[in-house]
Amino acid sequence: MGSITPHQRKHKVTVVGSGNWGCAIAKIVAENAASYPDLFEEKVEMWVFEENVEIGKDSPHYNPSNTGPQKLTDVINTYHENVKYLQGVQLPPNLHANPSLEESVKDSTILIFNLPHQFILRTCESIKGKILPYARGISCIKGVDVDENGAHLFSETIGRVLGIYCGALSGANIANEVAREKWSETTIAYAPPSPGLQSPLDAGVSFAFPDKLGRALPSEYPPVDHTVLKTLFHRPYFHVRVVNDVAGVSISGALKNIVAIAAGWVEGMGWGDNAKAAVMRVGLLEMSRFGDKFFGATIDQRTFTEESAGVADLITSCSGGRNFRCAKYSIERNQSIEEVEKTELNGQSLQGTLTAVEVNNFLKKQGMEEDFPLFTAVYRIMTGSMKVADIPAYIER
Amino acid sequence: MGSITPHQRKHKVTVVGSGNWGCAIAKIVAENAASYPDLFEEKVEMWVFEENVEIGKDSPHYNPSNTGPQKLTDVINTYHENVKYLQGVQLPPNLHANPSLEESVKDSTILIFNLPHQFILRTCESIKGKILPYARGISCIKGVDVDENGAHLFSETIGRVLGIYCGALSGANIANEVAREKWSETTIAYAPPSPGLQSPLDAGVSFAFPDKLGRALPSEYPPVDHTVLKTLFHRPYFHVRVVNDVAGVSISGALKNIVAIAAGWVEGMGWGDNAKAAVMRVGLLEMSRFGDKFFGATIDQRTFTEESAGVADLITSCSGGRNFRCAKYSIERNQSIEEVEKTELNGQSLQGTLTAVEVNNFLKKQGMEEDFPLFTAVYRIMTGSMKVADIPAYIER
């Protein structure tokens, strides 16, 4: 990164979350923090929700003289492996598992959020006021919160609660493949408002956004721009493109799950590859239309058609993602998708069915169900007022 | 089709070609010709390259007292089944198999070309001057002819040789699935120049195109417009969208085969769904860039991202098409793709490898190999100067 002039201070990076996707991302940023010592502090913090684990006999870390439960953070910091959520993957030694949320985010300039979406709000509220006021966030949480009034980006929720600017990372990234360094691509969306746009509340140090505020980063730090983010996330096996369209990246990550359900049904029906591709084509169009209608001012249509977070993630999700699989099984086993969910997902819940309901409530309120026939068909099939066999005729325009 | 006023004459429709895709399309148009007697003559001609066939014991048409070779046209006209190329599919009784090319096209106003591309030129030359001068063509032949000087659309070749306007049909259409009425979509591209643009050669009755001429259809016929074409091709199981972008539809059909080879290699390497989606994303971008650079004036970028002929056909081809499969096997069996082609395709040849060579020759001459890294990588891997493992680093931009 020869073009970056040296700065007095380096970025401290923290990953909030340590599931399989959290650890995969933490592994990447810790590798890069070690590779670019001019930009980043070597030690990367990862907040781990503490729990006791037992190391099984099949683990190389098994110790017959210590078979009792151990703290997960101790295990990670000793063996550099998350034996519970990402078994068999070596984590970098400069990644430090920290059971204290507050300590792990203290003094960090770059906060990466990577935890199940239902924990975002309470996690952010518990560190509110305890982070650097000029920190920047990146949300790796896929999707959006949709209610009757509209779609709320998780990155916006994080930014609003913490009073910082937060971008988003999303792409065709199955966590276990990324963790095992199988090549993939991702999209980071990041567009903090220009420093010229000062907040009337705090002129000189903060920025005004439509609904979020963030303070200017002190000049002792390298600016957190597209180049620095690419440096932090890009690896030979994880190719990053950085764009400005946070909304497009986030809604792609949510809406593709609805399409994956339809694709799973079509596959379950045995209708063949032509039909599956047709459903995916219509789904991509509706994703792009949704962005255009409800985020028109800020959205970049190329996010859907050109970026990993758009068309590529759609393709991956319709190839074997969990929404696709549960929908497929629901046809093959003649069960409702909720029944399949119960038997297949070990208590976890499907994102696609939830999003389909939320999106339908919103579209209904707008009087726009007919403009999104595939999304509407998925909702109606789930709720029993339409059949999978009706899809072709219903989406025919 | 209530909005169409009755005309004195009806369209006579001929399908030139009778392989599995030829018969699938002939079945569709014959079904619609029978359904719309105001627009089309009921009898649809299909030119069949005559050959002798024997009806096997497993066929419902097997007759122990007549086990010798029979003419394929007689078999089709008697049993309404192409026992050789589309076994088990019932063809409409109003579809007439004709062994005489000249007779089959005589007096037809709509000529549908559906035969292997290597036969196009000589087939067209043999009926030159023997068709109605105001006939319209639709080419169902996927792809384009690329040489060092540029890409030539098959529809243009047909149009130029016959002196008629010719559009194109392409989509995510595996022939055997369409023939069995599994739901799919397709794209028809059709944009004859407006009658206002008269040819200086023949003012008043013909049109000037950049490089093709076509005479105006006499007003006794219903105009051959998007509505009539949709009426002729659209079925409940075969959804048609009609667009103007002939070049985009045609080059999509060619270039997606190069992408399918790359996707097959990635699958063969076991790199997972993320990596396959990444290659498809980059391939779609390069298809669209190719259109933009070399057909910029006429191309509609939405063809690539919104139509069945674009993104949907790419998805189908990268799911299980023959280019994809042969590339995948070439890795799994550690053979060259040519060796796999020989053992897998029964003497037929892969379109993708041929197109990859043609496109590379053209790009090389333009000095633009680096602008199309995926297309270039496929060529170089085929010719041994690059390895599949080099793809991620090479296409990283």
Side-chain angles (χ1 to χ4, degrees), chain A residues 67-207:
Chain A
T67 56
Q70 303 178 53
K71 287 186 173 163
L72 180 55
T73 51
D74 289 340
V75 170
I76 294 175
N77 290 329
T78 307
Y79 303 115
H80 309 296
E81 181 180 331
N82 186 333
V83 296
K84 178 143 188 195
Y85 297 107
L86 197 57
Q87 224 181 349
V89 172
Q90 184 75 22
L91 299 172
N94 59 320
L95 178 67
H96 179 248
N98 195 327
S100 160
L101 177 57
E102 198 172 319
E103 259 181 47
S104 72
V105 297
K106 197 181 164 215
D107 297 330
S108 284
T109 45
I110 300 179
L111 299 170
I112 300 163
F113 294 88
N114 201 333
L115 66 179
H117 67 97
Q118 61 270 31
F119 303 131
I120 296 173
L121 200 61
R122 91 178 80 140
T123 303
C124 287
E125 276 167 353
S126 75
I127 55 173
K128 191 176 167 175
K130 295 168 182 164
I131 60 166
L132 292 178
Y134 46 78
R136 298 301 172 88
I138 294 291
S139 162
C140 302
I141 302 139
K142 281 209 182 172
V144 290
D145 242 341
V146 188
D147 64 21
E148 284 188 3
N149 302 309
H152 309 284
L153 313 184
F154 291 137
S155 55
E156 282 179 345
T157 305
I158 294 168
R160 193 183 61 245
V161 174
L162 296 179
I164 62 173
Y165 177 78
C166 187
L169 178 150
S170 183
N173 303 136
I174 298 166
N176 287 320
E177 293 187 6
V178 175
R180 282 164 182 82
E181 304 192 2
K182 292 190 170 191
W183 170 57
S184 72
E185 295 183 319
T186 203
T187 312
I188 294 175
Y190 185 82
S194 112
L197 296 170
Q198 288 171 358
S199 161
L201 295 175
D202 193 358
V205 286
S206 68
F207 311 130

Side-chain angles (χ1 to χ4, degrees), chain B residues 20-35:
Chain B
N20 66 346
W21 186 218
C23 283
I25 283 290
K27 172 176 175 293
I28 286 168
V29 299
E31 286 167 359
N32 281 325
S35 300

Side-chain angles (χ1 to χ4, degrees), chain A residues 291-354:
Chain A
D292 187 48
K293 294 258 189 209
F294 307 118
F295 294 86
T298 53
I299 215 109
D300 183 342
Q301 287 297 326
R302 291 173 303 179
T303 302
F304 301 104
T305 56
E306 297 190 3
E307 299 303 333
S308 181
V311 62
D313 195 16
L314 175 71
I315 290 170
T316 302
S317 303
C318 293
S319 298
R322 54 167 63 172
N323 292 287
F324 173 82
R325 276 186 291 118
C326 287
K328 179 169 172 274
Y329 296 154
S330 82
I331 302 291
E332 291 170 354
R333 300 172 189 171
N334 197 22
Q335 289 182 324
S336 76
I337 198 161
E338 289 79 11
E339 288 174 289
V340 176
E341 195 177 345
K342 270 179 215 146
T343 54
E344 287 294 314
L345 294 186
N346 266 325
Q348 292 189 283
S349 53
L350 272 190
Q351 201 54 48
T353 48
L354 194 65

